[in-house]
Amino acid sequence: MSDITSRTSNDPLSDRVSHPGYPRSNGYDARWTIDNQMGPHALWLLEWLAPALGLDTLAPGSRVLDLGCGRAMTSVFLAKEYDASVTAADLWVKPDENAGRIAEAGVADRVLPVLAEAHDLPFGENSFDTIVSIDAYQYFGTNDLYLPELTRLLKPGGRIGVVVPALREEIDGVEPPEHLKPYWEPGFWCFHTAAWWRRHWTRSGAVAVETADWLEDGWRDWLRWCEVVADESTDEWHVRMAGQCAEMLRLDRGETLGFVRVVGRRL
């Protein structure tokens, strides 16, 4: 079992990814986070979400669905930091692969990896105390009919919290900002503002929205992480994609792109 929460002193890589705003995340091995990343720094984003979602108030063993968990870093974090019983659901990363990572992290007794498509989740009503989704919900949650179906899995009064890549202002028309055109992908149209997400969740009638806000200077964290991945990843594809993302973020400088967190309580 590897100790992913041991931070080597005087380690330049650890120092490079240390963040004053996210003390819990700083305790995790920098190489582990780089090797298992699939985009923005998921632990930073989860730690930003945590106070709004009330993770510190969860009773030990509370059932949490980590939807779109990727390589299960966030699931491990939820188990270690909040003593949650986590269902780590993802479509792209197979359960056997995540199971090995979870066991190595020492939380196999608290994290169950499952293969699941977001629109066909194999869970019963009222199964979870909390639902979490980090850098994934934008891929399926913009559907007007999705949130009511998802929140039926929550116990009455349970909370759902997500962090998504987002826009500072909604984009009119059908063209991205001129300075982003070389980097813009069709999938970016699922990015929206905090106000858009608040309205989207409120009018669903499924939740009372408690938080919908923009991460001030979130683009700087995103850029910093992209630069680290571009320099330190051993995966050529991740190096290339992180480098392109860093170029885009340096050019944009927070004018357009960043992060939004949204928290709702099931009605």
Side-chain angles (χ1 to χ4, degrees), residues 210-231:
E210 298 181 335
T211 301
D213 59 359
W214 172 264
L215 178 57
E216 200 60 43
D217 285 335
W219 72 274
R220 295 183 187 276
D221 293 344
W222 196 352
L223 171 59
R224 179 183 175 189
W225 181 243
C226 285
E227 290 173 340
V228 169
V229 173
D231 290 345

Side-chain angles (χ1 to χ4, degrees), residues 61-63 124-131 150-160 265-267:
S62 292
R63 295 198 63 193
E125 293 188 15
N126 307 326
S127 291
F128 298 99
D129 299 288
T130 303
I131 297 174
L150 177 62
T151 52
R152 70 180 180 81
L153 305 182
L154 278 174
K155 295 176 182 178
R159 284 186 174 123
I160 176 173
R265 183 182 295 275
R266 180 185 171 182
L267 294 172

Side-chain angles (χ1 to χ4, degrees), residues 3 5-15 26-30:
D3 187 358
T5 56
S6 65
R7 183 183 184 279
T8 304
S9 60
N10 301 317
D11 174 16
L13 183 57
S14 294
D15 292 340
N26 292 342
Y28 286 74
D29 179 73

Side-chain angles (χ1 to χ4, degrees), residues 26-256:
N26 292 342
Y28 286 74
D29 179 73
R31 174 52 58 188
W32 183 76
T33 61
I34 292 168
D35 289 346
N36 292 301
Q37 61 80 34
M38 294 182 69
H41 197 308
L43 301 190
W44 290 353
L45 297 179
L46 177 53
E47 195 165 350
W48 177 51
L49 175 65
L53 189 55
L55 291 181
D56 278 319
T57 67
L58 286 179
S62 292
R63 295 198 63 193
V64 177
L65 172 62
D66 187 4
L67 183 57
C69 68
R71 294 193 173 104
M73 283 202 300
T74 48
S75 302
V76 169
F77 190 89
L78 287 162
K80 281 185 171 287
E81 300 299 323
Y82 305 106
D83 199 19
S85 176
V86 186
T87 299
D90 201 80
L91 179 64
W92 297 344
V93 182
K94 299 298 185 285
D96 285 351
E97 181 183 337
N98 273 340
R101 206 168 0 256
I102 290 163
E104 288 176 358
V107 290
D109 59 329
R110 286 174 284 165
V111 181
L112 175 67
V114 299
L115 180 69
E117 204 282 324
H119 297 89
D120 188 24
L121 295 171
F123 313 115
E125 293 188 15
N126 307 326
S127 291
F128 298 99
D129 299 288
T130 303
I131 297 174
V132 170
S133 185
I134 303 297
D135 187 28
Y137 193 82
Q138 69 275 13
Y139 294 124
F140 42 81
T142 58
N143 185 320
D144 288 337
L145 304 179
Y146 184 72
L147 188 62
E149 282 298 305
L150 177 62
T151 52
R152 70 180 180 81
L153 305 182
L154 278 174
K155 295 176 182 178
R159 284 186 174 123
I160 176 173
V162 308
V163 179
V164 291
L167 302 176
R168 184 181 291 275
E169 302 288 343
E170 285 295 319
I171 297 172
D172 294 329
V174 296
E175 295 291 331
E178 192 66 32
H179 68 288
L180 293 181
K181 281 186 177 180
Y183 306 95
W184 197 265
E185 300 175 8
F188 288 6
W189 291 114
C190 69
F191 299 171
H192 292 287
T193 64
W196 188 95
W197 282 107
R198 179 180 290 277
R199 182 190 66 181
H200 182 59
W201 279 24
T202 299
R203 69 184 183 183
S204 75
V207 298
V209 178
E210 298 181 335
T211 301
D213 59 359
W214 172 264
L215 178 57
E216 200 60 43
D217 285 335
W219 72 274
R220 295 183 187 276
D221 293 344
W222 196 352
L223 171 59
R224 179 183 175 189
W225 181 243
C226 285
E227 290 173 340
V228 169
V229 173
D231 290 345
E232 301 290 345
S233 177
T234 58
D235 185 298
E236 291 185 8
W237 185 85
H238 281 299
V239 169
R240 184 172 67 255
M241 296 305 295
Q244 291 176 1
C245 186
E247 289 179 7
M248 177 181 69
L249 293 167
R250 286 190 205 102
L251 192 63
D252 185 57
R253 295 191 60 80
E255 179 182 335
T256 310

